[in-house]
Amino acid sequence: MNEIARMVTDEAAAAMARATIALLPIGSTEQHGRHLTYDTDFAIAEAFARRLAGDLGETAVLCPGLPYGLSEHHLGFAGTLTLRPATLLGVLSDVAESLAQAGIRRVVVVNGHGGNVDAVRLAARGLRRDHGIVMAHLMWAGLAADVIAGEIGSERYGHACEGETSVGMVLAPQVVRADRIGEPGTPLPVLPHAAPPAPRVDLALPYHLLSGTGALGDARHASPALGERIVATAYARALEFAKAFAGEEG
């Protein structure tokens, strides 16, 4: 695996000369209810990116990841740490421009946190327009959205729910405190058509107005088997894309 952080100078130069894409895992440091640790999003994204790097071989380099993201909507729960949108935009752009200096002009952001999506999209638009750098963005939840929708029965889900908990069990089991999984809290009232997972009205909602526990769904239904089904679909689609993006196919 071509992991930049573990290399010395001549190794990095050789690896980056061979590679055509870079993988950049990003996540968050934010509350995940009573049973998932604060590093859940990043731990899952990093594990996913490492798996991709292993399968892509010399085609890709793995960048050190970013364990902070846009988490202001979780600040109602102690311990959450957030960046401002401009900060994340700047970091993404600076890393991509640094990679371009070494000859890698295609970057795959492997994201574990839904709150980061808008910032990655904006960074990608600016990088392509101003520097000719192509940034792609993928997230396990989006890649396997069809599987997740068919498997989860909760009305609200998408954060510390049975889906994310199951994926954590498979990719980053250290983040799951199984002994703390209990009765889900009662969802708090939200204006019509504005609640996750697929709101039709875009309304900025802090999580303490969505859930008293900070979690959605019912993690009692989480299982490694469910996690394997979600991960298998998400990973197959991610690898297919990454190979094509790197120029190995099509």
Side-chain angles (χ1 to χ4, degrees), residues 106-228:
R106 281 177 280 180
V107 183
V108 179
V109 175
V110 181
N111 180 23
H113 173 48
N116 293 336
V117 171
D118 289 340
V120 181
R121 286 174 174 165
L122 288 173
R125 287 165 59 179
L127 285 164
R128 188 155 201 166
R129 179 192 63 227
D130 298 335
H131 303 286
I133 298 168
V134 185
M135 176 175 281
H137 166 259
L138 58 84
M139 185 174 174
W140 64 266
L143 287 163
D146 51 343
V147 174
I148 295 167
E151 295 269 8
I152 294 182
S154 300
E155 180 181 355
R156 292 186 196 173
Y157 61 87
H159 184 73
C161 62
E162 50 267 53
E164 185 170 29
T165 303
S166 297
V167 169
M169 289 174 173
V170 172
L171 290 179
Q174 74 277 9
V175 308
V176 182
R177 303 279 183 86
D179 60 324
R180 296 182 62 85
I181 296 174
E183 290 274 346
T186 302
L188 300 177
V190 175
L191 292 172
H193 310 298
R200 293 175 175 83
V201 176
D202 191 359
L203 178 67
L205 281 170
Y207 258 73
H208 66 274
L209 297 183
L210 283 168
S211 165
T213 66
L216 304 178
D218 189 346
R220 294 176 300 174
H221 299 303
S223 70
L226 173 57
E228 290 287 1

Side-chain angles (χ1 to χ4, degrees), residues 9-249:
T9 306
D10 54 334
E11 293 170 337
M16 296 180 86
R18 292 189 297 265
T20 55
I21 64 172
L23 304 174
L24 174 61
I26 66 171
S28 69
T29 299
E30 67 181 33
Q31 69 83 24
H32 276 77
R34 296 168 177 160
H35 66 283
L36 295 178
T37 58
Y38 275 61
D39 64 341
T40 293
D41 289 342
F42 181 67
I44 288 173
E46 187 175 46
F48 200 96
R50 282 182 179 279
R51 187 178 292 190
L52 280 173
D55 283 338
L56 290 167
E58 291 186 347
T59 299
V61 293
L62 177 63
C63 300
L66 183 65
Y68 300 102
L70 304 186
S71 300
E72 68 283 343
H73 48 307
H74 292 279
L75 285 172
F77 297 89
T80 293
L81 306 175
T82 189
L83 302 178
R84 296 182 185 276
T87 304
L88 182 54
L89 274 165
V91 170
L92 292 170
S93 298
D94 288 351
V95 170
E97 290 178 46
S98 299
L99 288 163
Q101 283 289 108
I104 298 177
R105 306 187 67 82
R106 281 177 280 180
V107 183
V108 179
V109 175
V110 181
N111 180 23
H113 173 48
N116 293 336
V117 171
D118 289 340
V120 181
R121 286 174 174 165
L122 288 173
R125 287 165 59 179
L127 285 164
R128 188 155 201 166
R129 179 192 63 227
D130 298 335
H131 303 286
I133 298 168
V134 185
M135 176 175 281
H137 166 259
L138 58 84
M139 185 174 174
W140 64 266
L143 287 163
D146 51 343
V147 174
I148 295 167
E151 295 269 8
I152 294 182
S154 300
E155 180 181 355
R156 292 186 196 173
Y157 61 87
H159 184 73
C161 62
E162 50 267 53
E164 185 170 29
T165 303
S166 297
V167 169
M169 289 174 173
V170 172
L171 290 179
Q174 74 277 9
V175 308
V176 182
R177 303 279 183 86
D179 60 324
R180 296 182 62 85
I181 296 174
E183 290 274 346
T186 302
L188 300 177
V190 175
L191 292 172
H193 310 298
R200 293 175 175 83
V201 176
D202 191 359
L203 178 67
L205 281 170
Y207 258 73
H208 66 274
L209 297 183
L210 283 168
S211 165
T213 66
L216 304 178
D218 189 346
R220 294 176 300 174
H221 299 303
S223 70
L226 173 57
E228 290 287 1
R229 291 195 292 275
I230 295 171
V231 171
T233 296
Y235 187 75
R237 291 170 177 173
L239 184 59
E240 181 183 21
F241 170 80
K243 286 181 175 180
F245 190 56
E248 291 188 2
E249 297 178 4

